[in-house]
Structures are given as C-alpha cells and as structure tokens.
C-alpha cells in the first residue's frame, strides 16, 4: 500500500491573493501535488470554467452534498457556500499523492481538526491598508462588501497562530517559491519520514 499523501492547506484572509499565488504555483511544471477543485454556489466570474476554477453548483446541490457527508469542509462566505469535496481528496491521499487546498480560514480550521497531520500555511498581506486597496483594485465588490471583507480580514489575521507557517504575499512569484520550499522541507520532517522508513526496515528484517 502506498504511503498516505500529505494534505497541504493554503489559507489566509480574503483578498490577500491566495488564488493568484495558487495559480502561480500550478502554472509551473514539476509540482508533486495536485489541486483539489472546490465547490461553490457563487456566480461564475468572466473567464472562469466549471470543473477547472470551481464546480459551480446550486444552493440545493451544495446542501445535498453536505447532508450526504460529501464535504471535507465547507463555509458560508459573503452569502455563498464554498467547500472541498471529500471524495477526490481521499482518493488522492490514499494513492499516496499530496493534495493542495486553497480555502478560507473557517474551512481551514475544520480541516485542521479532522486532519491534524496536514501542513497549514497562512498567506498574509504586507499590511492591511494594502489589502483594502487590492480589494478596491480588483473591482468586483462594492464598498459595503469591501468593508465587510476588511472586518473579516482583521479577525482572520488573528488566526495566524493556528498555522504552521506564515508567508507574506509581497510578490507573487516570491510567495509561490516560499510555499514550494516549505512543502519540500515538510516532506522530510521526521514525523512524516520515520514511519515509512521504519516500515521499510521492518520489511527488510522479515
Ligand atoms: P472567491 O469567491 O474570490 O473565488 O473566493 C472567496 C474565498 O473562498 C477565498 O478566500 C477562497 O480562498 C475561499 N474558498 C475557495 N474555495 C474554498 C473551499 O473549498 N472551502 C473554503 N472554506 N473556502 C474556499
């Protein structure tokens, strides 16, 4: 049986650039982990593709998934549901593949409880004023929505202590590189490495 894969969770406040950093990481060749596509009830934005950016579903479909135990985690965020389908994650981890989630903080905390062995990385903005500016520049939300997101963001920053690593998103390629370095190093953490090594030694002694 393959060694179970590692669950990698990238989280952080809304507008910090999680999606952009994740896309930067996955635009590069040679990653030894797969992206878990999330499910959402929010409207598709221009250029987004169903089954690539998200699985876009209705509220009813999403609630059915929850009721059927089909979600690893989910959260209601700015009036929509977002969540991670459990089946794909389990299949990948069971086959020994590492899986990468990019999710907001409430969902990340649910995953932390269910999978304490995961790797939890918090992406953080250089400062909060810049976060507000980024949300304004993105132009997808009105000022009331931006204020709501800012309030949530302040609370989220306080949640950093629940993570294993923090990465400042000052420049996207640099943040992406740091995250990949963390993942590489984490694979060689003794607690991840030793059980497999012991097993190999055990087999050799039989
Ligand atoms: P957006 O609407 O901008 O694509 O995403 C809004 C927020 O939802 C972002 O913070 C994003 O990281 C988060 N998000 C995306 N997918 C998931 C998911 O599967 N679960 C949770 N909890 N949050 C998600």
């Amino acid at each position: 049986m393959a060694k179970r894969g590692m669950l990698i969770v990238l989280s952080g406040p809304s507008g910090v650039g999680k999606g952009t950093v994740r896309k930067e990481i996955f635009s590069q060749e040679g990653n030894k982990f797969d992206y878990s596509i999330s499910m959402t009830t929010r409207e598709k934005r221009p250029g987004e593709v169903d089954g690539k950016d998200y699985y876009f579903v209705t509220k009813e479909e999403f609630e059915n998934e929850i009721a059927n135990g089909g979600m690893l985690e989910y959260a209601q965020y700015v009036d929509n549901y977002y969540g991670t389908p459990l089946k794909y994650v389990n299949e990948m981890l069971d086959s020994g593949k590492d899986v990468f989630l990019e999710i907001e903080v409430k969902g990340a905390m649910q995953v932390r409880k269910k999978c304490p062995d995961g790797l939890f990385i918090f992406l953080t903005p250089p400062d909060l004023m810049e976060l507000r500016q980024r949300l304004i520049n993105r132009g997808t939300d009105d000022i009331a929505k931006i204020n709501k997101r800012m309030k949530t963001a302040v609370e989220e920053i306080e949640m950093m202590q629940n993570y294993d690593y923090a990465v400042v998103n000052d420049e996207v390629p640099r943040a992406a590189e740091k995250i990949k370095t963390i993942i590489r190093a984490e694979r060689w953490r003794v607690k991840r490495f030793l059980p497999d090594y012991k097993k190999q030694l055990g087999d050799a002694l039989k």
Side-chain angles (χ1 to χ4, degrees):
M1 209 175 98
K3 181 184 169 200
R4 198 165 156 84
M6 174 167 71
L7 189 60
I8 304 154
V9 179
L10 176 66
S11 192
S14 136
V16 71
K18 297 188 292 294
T20 312
V21 170
R22 183 252 301 167
K23 281 180 191 142
E24 171 75 17
I25 292 171
F26 283 92
S27 72
Q28 298 165 5
E29 301 277 305
N31 292 321
K32 295 199 179 92
F33 44 84
D34 281 354
Y35 175 57
S36 158
I37 300 163
S38 295
M39 193 176 274
T40 186
T41 58
R42 85 144 160 74
E43 294 277 304
K44 212 193 281 177
R45 291 187 189 132
E48 286 185 330
V49 178
D50 186 34
K52 181 170 175 276
D53 297 288
Y54 282 104
Y55 297 111
F56 294 96
V57 296
T58 62
K59 190 165 178 261
E60 195 188 355
E61 285 169 325
F62 201 106
E63 287 175 346
N64 276 338
E65 280 298 327
I66 300 171
N68 295 333
M71 306 307 284
L72 169 63
E73 60 75 34
Y74 69 93
Q76 255 178 318
Y77 175 82
V78 195
D79 306 329
N80 280 300
Y81 280 121
Y82 293 82
T84 304
L86 180 61
K87 191 166 175 279
Y88 175 82
V89 171
N90 264 341
E91 281 172 7
M92 286 294 119
L93 293 178
D94 285 346
S95 70
K97 269 253 174 200
D98 296 343
V99 182
F100 187 104
L101 312 184
E102 179 249 299
I103 59 179
E104 55 69 67
V105 291
K106 283 182 276 187
M109 287 306 96
Q110 293 169 39
V111 181
R112 174 118 242 183
K113 280 207 188 98
K114 286 188 185 168
C115 315
D117 262 2
L119 166 59
F120 292 80
I121 304 170
F122 192 85
L123 191 67
T124 179
D127 68 60
L128 280 176
M129 291 322 289
E130 195 174 319
L131 172 63
R132 174 185 280 275
Q133 203 53 50
R134 278 191 216 189
L135 288 173
I136 292 168
N137 290 349
R138 193 165 73 177
T140 52
D141 304 313
D142 61 27
I143 200 74
K145 234 179 189 172
I146 289 174
N147 283 338
K148 196 170 166 190
R149 284 194 173 216
M150 283 301 295
K151 188 174 168 288
T152 313
V154 172
E155 291 160 11
E156 286 169 335
I157 294 277
E158 286 167 2
M159 296 188 75
M160 197 192 287
Q161 60 194 312
N162 299 315
Y163 291 75
D164 302 310
Y165 293 88
V167 171
V168 178
N169 188 18
D170 44 5
E171 280 174 39
V172 172
R174 198 149 51 150
E177 207 41 56
K178 281 190 228 166
I179 290 167
K180 293 205 301 185
T181 304
I182 290 168
I183 295 170
R184 272 197 296 273
E186 191 69 18
R187 290 207 180 95
W188 301 108
R189 202 186 263 279
V190 166
K191 75 169 184 191
R192 299 187 193 281
F193 178 74
L194 190 60
D196 196 39
Y197 206 67
K198 269 187 176 164
K199 190 179 166 296
Q200 283 180 37
L201 282 178
D203 289 346
L205 290 171
K206 270 177 201 159

